[in-house]
Amino acid sequence: MRLTRSILAAAAAALVLAGCGSGGDDDKAAVPETATGSLEHLAAEVGCDPTIQIDADEIRQASCRKSDADGKFILATFATDRGQREWINGAKDYGGHYLVGRKWIAVGETKTVTTLRTKLGGDIEEGQDHTAHTGSHSESH
């Protein structure tokens, strides 16, 4: 499936923006009801002018930058819950931090995702951290 490969490639690109790190559970305090709507509506909710990267029937994806303090993030909307879950499951293999709502997702650094959550609601999910495996091979200096 060409579209699936494109989506996974986009997910991998999104993870370049995501960075590494780990958030705490103290971000549950001020979480609003999970937002819904189009990609443009969600972007407007957080004050971002989205740059569309993928505009397909199954997925719409854009990169966003609010300010240096909030960082860059990827915002994607999906036609179906199943399509969203398949995207997340594939993307999580690459690590990253995900803010997940109904048929939408935001991908960015921990701080960015936590900040977005105060406006969009949703649940934070983390991908697999493979950094522990990078030093497991014999090292030569």
Side-chain angles (χ1 to χ4, degrees):
M1 289 172 86
R2 212 172 72 216
L3 183 58
T4 301
R5 282 190 214 131
S6 296
I7 291 170
L8 289 177
L15 293 171
V16 170
L17 297 174
C20 294
S22 174
D25 289 331
D26 53 62
D27 57 14
K28 295 180 181 177
V31 179
E33 185 175 326
T34 302
T36 59
S38 68
L39 187 142
E40 289 80 6
H41 173 77
L42 296 168
E45 288 286 320
V46 296
C48 144
D49 183 20
T51 302
I52 302 295
Q53 298 173 321
I54 298 174
D55 192 0
D57 291 340
E58 297 85 4
I59 181 176
R60 295 190 72 229
Q61 179 177 304
S63 63
C64 288
R65 181 186 250 323
K66 287 179 50 180
S67 69
D68 289 337
D70 294 327
K72 292 184 197 177
F73 61 98
I74 298 295
L75 185 60
T77 56
F78 301 86
T80 65
D81 293 325
R82 180 178 177 187
Q84 177 189 26
R85 185 46 51 192
E86 288 174 355
W87 188 95
I88 294 168
N89 290 344
K92 277 184 160 185
D93 288 341
Y94 298 95
H97 304 278
Y98 306 85
L99 179 61
V100 182
R102 177 111 201 290
K103 295 185 184 176
W104 62 264
I105 191 165
V107 184
E109 293 183 13
T110 302
K111 178 182 175 187
T112 302
V113 169
T114 302
T115 300
L116 292 172
R117 188 174 189 220
T118 64
K119 297 197 186 240
L120 297 176
D123 297 311
I124 295 177
E125 297 185 23
E126 288 190 37
Q128 295 178 9
D129 181 2
H130 294 288
T131 57
H133 301 292
T134 59
S136 62
H137 299 283
S138 61
E139 296 178 20
S140 55
H141 296 275

